[in-house]
């Protein structure tokens, strides 16, 4: 855990904008903080609201249904923080838009999962099967790497974290890889053999990732650092004491216990599923 945290903080430092390094800590004049999330994507938020209240902060959780609006809302000042995205996704957004946003802390690593309504194991894939993957610049390469990790296909040595389908060097089953908007990956489950679905999208679709995914990323791998989730703020608020308090609260025992409890409440019926559940989520 500490190793992942150190790696995450190193990655955060690498992508933070120059404005992150300066100013004095001023705190918030109002004790109302709006934090954007991608749907009600976790049992931690009611706990966070109560913990913030004990600190004299009213934490308002604002739900979004896609992966673009939370950053746009943050840049526009409609919300104060957001907590929905990976380091990689955030870095791509800032690079592409030039918005003056910075990461101020890490939250969790939630593995990307492979889901299916047609098969229960990747060993059951057949020639020509359809595979839905998210098409955004950070998750598409992540999805292809996961398929390689699962032994489904092979990628070129120079794939890196920005590769795409042109870097597939071996696809023995001639699978049809279909990139699409992340929100669509869950909706097309009936029409494809497997779909690689982001954690938040899966939850919104009524899936329980720790139970329903037939395969997901290894939380112990050193390749997961770009996919650790963060809390982001406007650059001018990088040292805001109240915002940093929210980051601190996320890492309390109460939040960790709630996340762990939510996994234990999943109806797991086999030893294999229990092992999946234990490996599923890490607070970073």
């Amino acid at each position: 855990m500490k190793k992942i945290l150190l790696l995450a903080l190193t990655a955060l430092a690498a992508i933070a904008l120059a404005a992150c390094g300066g100013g004095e800590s001023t705190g918030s004049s109002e004790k109302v903080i709006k934090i954007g999330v991608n749907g009600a994507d976790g049992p931690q938020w009611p706990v966070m609201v109560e913990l913030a209240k004990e600190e004299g902060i009213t934490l308002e959780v604002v739900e979004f249904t896609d992966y673009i609006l939370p950053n746009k809302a943050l840049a526009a000042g409609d919300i104060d923080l957001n907590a929905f995205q990976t380091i990689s996704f955030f870095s791509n957004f800032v690079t592409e838009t030039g918005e003056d946003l910075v990461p101020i802390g890490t939250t969790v690593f939630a593995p990307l999962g492979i889901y299916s309504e047609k098969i229960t194991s990747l060993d059951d894939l057949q020639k020509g099967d359809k595979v839905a993957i998210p098409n955004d610049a950070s998750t598409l390469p992540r999805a292809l790497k996961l398929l390689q990790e699962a032994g489904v296909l092979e990628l070129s040595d120079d794939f890196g974290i920005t590769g795409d389908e042109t870097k597939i060097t071996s696809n023995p089953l001639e699978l049809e890889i279909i990139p699409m908007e992340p929100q669509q990956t869950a909706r097309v489950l009936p029409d494809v053999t497997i779909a690689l679905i982001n954690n938040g999208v899966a939850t919104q679709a009524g899936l329980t990732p720790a139970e329903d995914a037939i395969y997901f990323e290894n939380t112990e791998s050193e390749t997961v650092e770009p996919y650790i989730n963060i809390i982001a703020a406007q650059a001018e608020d990088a040292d805001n004491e109240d915002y940093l308090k929210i980051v601190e609260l996320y890492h309390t025992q109460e939040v960790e216990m709630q996340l762990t409890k939510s996994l234990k409440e999943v109806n797991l019926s086999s030893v294999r599923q229990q092992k999946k559940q234990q490996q599923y989520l890490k607070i970073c």
Side-chain angles (χ1 to χ4, degrees):
M1 184 74 68
K2 292 186 182 298
K3 183 178 183 181
I4 289 181
L5 176 57
L6 177 60
L7 290 168
L9 293 176
T10 301
L12 285 168
I15 64 173
L17 303 178
C20 181
E24 294 292 324
S25 210
T26 60
S28 175
S29 58
E30 285 189 27
K31 296 291 186 176
V32 177
I33 297 175
K34 294 182 179 181
I35 186 166
V37 302
N38 183 251
D41 64 348
Q44 69 273 33
W45 296 116
V47 178
M48 289 284 293
V49 169
E50 291 303 313
L51 292 174
K53 187 181 298 183
E54 294 174 7
E55 299 290 335
I57 298 170
T58 298
L59 182 64
E60 295 184 7
V61 180
V62 181
E63 299 179 16
F64 294 88
T65 58
D66 68 16
Y67 281 78
I68 301 298
L69 290 178
N71 276 332
K72 289 186 175 180
L74 179 60
D78 297 329
I79 56 177
D80 305 300
L81 302 170
N82 65 40
F84 77 101
Q85 63 193 320
T86 64
I87 295 170
S88 176
F89 186 93
F90 174 83
S91 180
N92 278 320
F93 177 86
V94 170
T95 299
E96 291 175 1
T97 66
E99 296 289 1
D100 207 12
L101 307 179
V102 295
I104 63 171
T106 57
T107 57
V108 296
F109 170 68
L112 180 66
I114 302 177
Y115 299 79
S116 179
E117 293 184 357
K118 296 182 171 64
I119 62 175
T120 59
S121 168
L122 294 178
D123 293 335
D124 299 329
L125 284 170
Q126 301 294 315
K127 189 171 183 178
D129 278 347
K130 295 180 178 180
V131 179
I133 65 173
N135 67 356
D136 63 271
S138 66
T139 316
L140 187 147
R142 181 183 184 185
L144 293 175
K145 281 185 177 180
L146 181 55
L147 291 172
Q148 175 175 253
E149 177 188 313
V152 172
L153 48 76
E154 294 180 8
L155 305 171
S156 63
D157 292 338
D158 63 347
F159 186 84
I161 62 171
T162 59
D164 57 24
E165 308 96 300
T166 64
K167 297 290 187 177
I168 298 174
T169 57
S170 176
N171 182 4
L173 292 176
E174 300 178 7
L175 299 174
E176 182 181 352
I177 309 296
I178 310 173
M180 61 185 65
E181 292 296 321
Q183 290 74 24
Q184 294 295 325
T185 53
R187 297 170 189 164
V188 301
L189 263 178
D191 305 314
V192 299
T193 305
I194 59 174
L196 283 72
I197 307 176
N198 290 327
N199 184 71
V201 173
T203 302
Q204 289 174 8
L207 297 166
T208 303
E211 181 182 31
D212 294 328
I214 63 173
Y215 192 92
F216 53 70
E217 288 169 309
N218 178 8
T219 60
E220 301 298 331
S221 172
E222 292 190 358
T223 64
V224 305
E225 304 108 61
Y227 309 121
I228 291 170
N229 285 270
I230 62 168
I231 294 177
Q234 291 191 8
E236 63 185 15
D237 295 320
D239 297 317
N240 183 297
E241 292 177 351
D242 292 330
Y243 296 175
L244 294 175
K245 174 58 69 173
I246 298 302
V247 174
E248 181 182 328
L249 293 177
Y250 202 105
H251 290 265
T252 57
Q253 187 177 8
E254 291 91 335
V255 170
E256 183 169 4
M257 287 176 61
Q258 184 59 43
L259 287 168
T260 302
K261 177 184 176 183
S262 70
L263 289 180
K264 288 181 179 178
E265 289 175 347
V266 171
N267 181 21
L268 299 172
S269 58
S270 72
V271 172
R272 179 171 175 270
Q273 285 177 315
Q274 289 173 8
K275 186 176 181 182
K276 283 171 60 179
Q277 176 247 18
Q278 293 166 359
Q279 294 175 342
Y280 176 67
L281 190 66
K282 280 187 177 292
I283 294 181
C284 298

